[in-house]
Amino acid sequence: MSHRKALTLEEKVALIKDNQNGHGLSVRQLTDNYKISKSSAANILRRSEEFLADYSSNSNKGIKRKLKDENRQKIDEIVFEWFAQRRAKQIPISGPILQEKARQVAEQLGCTTETFKASNVDDSTVEEWTQRLSTILDGFNENDVFNADETGLFYRATPDHSLVLSKEECKGGKKSKERLTVLLCSNLTGTEKLKPVVIGRSQRPRCFKNITTSKLPVIWLSN
């Protein structure tokens, strides 16, 4: 008769309970039922306390994980309902505002700052790029390495971006405004700054009618 080489922890616990019941099964019966050798069955019974303790520990971890997942799901549902209500009233909601609401709901449900953090950036991606960047920069002088800080700018328009629901109809917007991207570049030592780069939609906007772009105090690019 062929025998299996190993049993899972759950199967070992089941075997132990089959042996400990009022009409417990013998080693021979356990061997036939679980298709293992007599020595394996005897070894499992000899280490029964160890296996039962491991199983109890893993079960507790599973319960905690389940509660954690249930809390996260409940937080998502409450925050989404709140978000939908605000958007129905045309109230703009940004990412940071949504994160703050999620933290408030988590606190009301008994979560601590250690057990819950509102998601924003993928930490694994940040860690990966932190390691890759040091490799890329290796061998370069700090004076020759520049950092570019990018910011978006709507010319003559106040920022009122908002997260929206997929079913919402797009209204208003910035169709009459020029969206600009501004890049400010300086080296890591702070000893040198490059001329700012401004990226607009048009190569020659109407407002540049009598202006030579090469004479601007910035580098003008279009995309």
Side-chain angles (χ1 to χ4, degrees), residues 103-166:
R103 282 191 287 267
Q104 293 175 2
V105 173
E107 186 177 350
Q108 293 171 0
L109 293 177
C111 299
T112 64
T113 55
E114 295 180 355
T115 58
F116 175 82
K117 293 185 183 298
S119 60
N120 184 16
V121 179
D122 185 353
D123 293 337
S124 61
T125 302
V126 174
E127 178 63 25
E128 178 187 352
W129 267 102
T130 300
Q131 298 176 358
R132 290 180 60 185
L133 185 60
S134 60
T135 303
I136 294 172
L137 298 181
D138 187 33
F140 286 90
N141 188 294
E142 288 186 349
N143 291 321
D144 299 326
V145 179
F146 286 77
N147 177 63
D149 292 320
E150 176 182 335
T151 182
L153 172 65
F154 281 100
Y155 182 61
R156 291 183 179 177
T158 57
D160 60 353
H161 285 187
S162 172
L163 300 173
V164 297
L165 295 169
S166 59

Side-chain angles (χ1 to χ4, degrees), residues 20 40 44 100 110 140 150 156 158 174 177 183 198 216:
Q20 294 178 346
S40 295
I44 292 173
E100 180 59 29
F140 286 90
E150 176 182 335
R156 291 183 179 177
T158 57
K174 299 287 192 308
K177 305 298 182 180
L183 295 177
V198 180
L216 291 172

Side-chain angles (χ1 to χ4, degrees), residues 6 58 60 81 88 101 123 125 129 173 183 198 203 208 210:
N58 288 333
N60 289 334
E81 182 179 357
K101 181 61 180 179
D123 293 337
T125 302
W129 267 102
L183 295 177
V198 180
Q203 185 174 2
F208 283 7
N210 299 317

Side-chain angles (χ1 to χ4, degrees), residues 43-101:
N43 182 56
I44 292 173
L45 294 177
R46 186 167 55 250
R47 299 173 57 190
S48 59
E49 292 185 4
E50 175 187 341
F51 290 131
L52 290 173
D54 287 344
Y55 182 76
S56 176
S57 176
N58 288 333
S59 295
N60 289 334
K61 289 180 180 178
I63 292 173
K64 291 180 180 179
R65 188 182 301 111
K66 182 180 179 181
L67 290 175
K68 184 177 180 180
D69 292 340
E70 288 178 350
N71 279 339
R72 287 187 178 277
Q73 183 178 355
K74 194 168 185 178
I75 292 171
D76 288 342
E77 292 174 352
I78 295 175
V79 172
F80 179 77
E81 182 179 357
W82 173 84
F83 172 67
Q85 291 173 350
R86 293 302 184 276
R87 288 305 303 150
K89 297 178 181 180
Q90 298 299 314
I91 300 175
I93 302 295
S94 64
I97 292 176
L98 205 61
Q99 286 180 304
E100 180 59 29
K101 181 61 180 179

